[in-house]
Amino acid sequence: MKLSNVFIRLSFLLAIVIFPVFIKAQENLISPAKINAIKLINLTGKESRINLNKTTVIVFLSPECPLCKNYLPGLVKLQNANKSINFYGVIPGTSYSIKEINELKNEYGINFDLLTDKDKRLSKYLGATTTPEVFLINKMGAITYSGLIDNWSSSLGQKRLVITEKYLEAAIKDLSNGKQTFKKTIPVGCLINDI
């Protein structure tokens, strides 16, 4: 067999393996420019933006959602273990004041940026519907994971005694190990709305 035939066959096989990953990445691709154009408000009341210059976790939160409060210590711990990743907590809507969000930050020792998405432009752009809901975005702008933090809460009011799947943690590990997996779970929690 000629070397050129071997090369053509290997190229074909490689294309078959890579093409589905490429297509999946395209389905989950977001625009860093569009994300950066969305004006958010930080805890000093000033305009702020999300920077996707490196791997980023965006978690939608609500100061009064019990599930969010339960997950905050674990999110802080996860951020501490992954300093090379940008973490942002986003509070959608106008229901909470900066004072209430600051109280949440202080009570739970949150060490990542908390931002408000008053007009819910970021929530709508990413398709977020629930708090807590996470999005793991790689530095190329592909959402490699979205949904639940783990499988502790199986439905509203139903919690497992033992967490068996740490979805966000596993997705971060896959990404840091160079695996391009794309996974989505259905989030459980409080619906994003302004009452």
Side-chain angles (χ1 to χ4, degrees):
M1 190 181 293
K2 289 184 177 179
L3 188 57
S4 62
N5 286 344
V6 171
F7 180 73
I8 290 169
R9 287 182 182 183
L10 285 174
S11 297
F12 180 72
L13 287 173
L14 188 61
I16 289 172
V17 170
I18 292 175
F19 190 70
V21 173
F22 177 75
I23 293 299
K24 193 68 176 166
Q26 294 299 313
E27 290 173 9
N28 294 302
L29 203 58
I30 60 168
S31 167
K34 283 186 180 177
I35 293 284
N36 192 262
I38 296 172
K39 296 174 188 172
L40 303 166
I41 305 298
N42 66 24
L43 294 184
T44 63
K46 294 184 179 169
E47 192 175 289
S48 188
R49 298 178 195 282
I50 289 179
N51 189 350
L52 295 178
N53 63 342
K54 59 183 181 177
T55 299
T56 300
V57 170
I58 298 172
V59 57
F60 288 88
L61 299 167
S62 167
E64 66 181 18
C65 174
L67 209 48
C68 289
K69 290 178 179 181
N70 285 325
Y71 274 116
L72 283 171
L75 286 168
V76 168
K77 195 179 210 180
L78 194 57
Q79 195 277 331
N80 284 336
N82 295 280
K83 295 286 188 187
S84 63
I85 296 175
N86 287 333
F87 273 70
Y88 295 95
V90 176
I91 293 86
T94 57
S95 295
Y96 306 103
S97 68
I98 289 176
K99 181 180 182 236
E100 289 171 301
I101 298 167
N102 263 312
E103 287 170 0
L104 181 76
K105 179 178 178 130
N106 294 335
E107 182 179 349
Y108 289 92
I110 300 169
N111 55 352
F112 48 86
D113 289 341
L114 290 179
L115 307 168
T116 58
D117 181 20
K118 294 210 178 278
D119 56 5
K120 297 187 238 174
R121 283 183 58 212
L122 181 63
S123 313
K124 289 173 187 165
Y125 183 69
L126 292 177
T129 60
T130 309
T131 60
E133 183 172 357
V134 297
F135 292 82
L136 176 63
I137 305 166
N138 70 19
K139 56 187 167 188
M140 293 175 287
I143 299 172
T144 60
Y145 175 72
S146 66
L148 296 162
I149 295 166
D150 58 33
N151 71 345
W152 176 55
S153 182
S154 55
S155 64
L156 281 177
Q158 302 258 322
K159 293 170 186 65
R160 288 180 169 82
L161 293 175
V162 177
I163 296 167
T164 58
E165 296 282 338
K166 295 183 177 183
Y167 301 119
L168 178 58
E169 191 174 326
I172 288 172
K173 190 174 184 179
D174 283 349
L175 201 55
S176 65
N177 289 333
K179 289 184 186 174
Q180 290 298 316
T181 57
F182 300 94
K183 188 172 183 179
K184 182 177 177 81
T185 57
I186 306 300
V188 173
C190 304
L191 291 179
I192 293 174
N193 59 27
D194 280 329
I195 299 172

